[in-house]
Amino acid sequence: MSQPFRPYALSIAGFDPSAGAGLLADVKTFESHGVYGLGVCTALTVQNDVTFERVNWVPAAEIREQIRILFARFKVDFIKIGLVESLPQLLELVGWLKVQNPKLQIVWDPVLKASAGYEFHRKTDRQLMQALCAEMALVTPNKPEMLRMWPGEESAETAAQVVSAFCPVLLKGGHDEGELSTDVLYARGKWDSFSVTRLPHGEKHGSGCVLSAAVLAQLAKGETLVEACDAAKDYTTAFLASNDTRLGYHSKS
């Protein structure tokens, strides 16, 4: 018996052999939401769930070729972007993507530093960051990433409010302490918060990837941005609670 048609969602991200983060985690998340996941590789990483050794970047021309052949076959309106070699290269890629499909909804998870400590982008430029964010449907930084994206502000919350003038920002609160884990969506001059009870052993490799992919999957299914962020928070919480290891399990839709 055939299943209902699934919308397509594309992840443009790095390949993590442990499948906890990056491209594989995104596609797992898409599929768990009833969305067909496509994937384009930006980097081959040598890592597991606790150790990051090195990264081998895929050339920009090869990234475009991977996307080109997918676009020739599939109608893709929703894209998540993760690990990229450089922010100027990302701006060029996004501009090219929008030429292919001006209606694209892009969620950017700004992977600036690996959880194991490896830094991908040491410096950010405000003018470049503004141009990037203006092309996005959403950016999903945690608080340290927010301060690296927009340095000079007194807090991640202040930085998020500033950047939300260019695009919606989902500021993740997983790095905080306290009884609740709260993410805040800054969009269109207002904010919405999404809170769950913090898990005692809830740290998982790739949790940020899962959250942003879940948001994109919900958008692909027709949810509003607020609804998508709320549902993604619940999905990620279930992922974090799925077992006591560093690698979470994905539930069925």
Side-chain angles (χ1 to χ4, degrees):
M1 183 176 178
S2 63
Q3 297 183 18
F5 173 78
R6 294 185 172 195
Y8 297 106
L10 170 63
S11 169
I12 302 175
F15 181 85
D16 166 19
S18 79
L23 195 56
L24 293 178
D26 290 348
V27 170
K28 288 181 187 179
T29 304
F30 295 158
E31 295 287 344
S32 293
H33 282 81
V35 172
Y36 192 91
L38 304 168
V40 164
C41 185
T42 60
L44 298 172
T45 67
V46 180
Q47 66 172 308
N48 56 34
D49 57 324
V50 295
T51 302
F52 191 105
E53 292 189 354
R54 65 182 184 274
V55 58
N56 298 305
W57 299 106
V58 175
E62 291 298 317
I63 293 172
R64 292 191 187 192
E65 283 298 286
Q66 292 178 72
I67 298 168
R68 177 192 57 77
I69 199 165
L70 291 176
F71 278 11
R73 173 73 172 155
F74 307 108
K75 185 180 189 309
V76 178
D77 292 326
F78 298 90
I79 292 179
K80 181 206 153 173
I81 298 178
L83 181 61
V84 292
E85 183 173 6
S86 75
L87 299 184
Q89 182 189 98
L90 175 57
L91 185 59
E92 292 181 5
L93 176 62
V94 170
W96 179 82
L97 287 167
K98 290 291 185 77
V99 170
Q100 314 309 307
N101 181 358
K103 296 181 179 180
L104 274 177
Q105 297 287 298
I106 302 176
V107 172
W108 178 32
D109 182 24
V111 182
L112 305 179
K113 185 177 181 179
S115 57
Y118 187 95
E119 291 196 51
F120 299 109
H121 307 293
R122 295 181 182 274
K123 291 184 65 178
T124 55
D125 174 82
R126 283 196 173 195
Q127 186 173 0
L128 173 60
M129 193 60 65
Q130 179 177 342
L132 271 171
C133 290
E135 298 293 339
M136 305 300 174
L138 179 71
V139 296
T140 63
N142 58 37
K143 290 187 178 181
E145 288 168 342
M146 188 72 254
L147 289 171
R148 291 164 71 87
M149 286 177 63
W150 203 260
E153 300 297 336
E154 61 183 20
S155 69
E157 290 80 3
T158 303
Q161 291 177 40
V162 173
V163 173
S164 69
F166 316 131
C167 71
V169 177
L170 180 62
L171 184 64
K172 299 176 290 190
H175 284 71
D176 286 347
E177 297 180 354
E179 181 181 349
L180 296 179
S181 171
T182 301
D183 300 342
V184 181
L185 174 66
Y186 297 89
R188 295 176 289 278
K190 67 188 192 87
W191 56 271
D192 293 275
S193 61
F194 313 96
S195 297
V196 297
T197 301
R198 190 176 301 278
L199 301 171
H201 304 289
E203 186 175 347
K204 288 284 187 289
H205 177 52
S207 57
C209 300
V210 170
L211 177 67
S212 54
V215 173
L216 185 76
Q218 293 288 349
L219 292 175
K221 293 171 70 173
E223 301 292 343
T224 67
L225 184 56
V226 173
E227 291 168 340
C229 291
D230 189 23
K233 181 69 169 177
D234 289 342
Y235 181 86
T236 306
T237 301
F239 169 83
L240 295 175
S242 62
N243 66 67
D244 292 334
T245 75
R246 288 268 301 166
L247 295 173
Y249 300 149
H250 292 262
S251 61
K252 293 182 180 179
S253 58

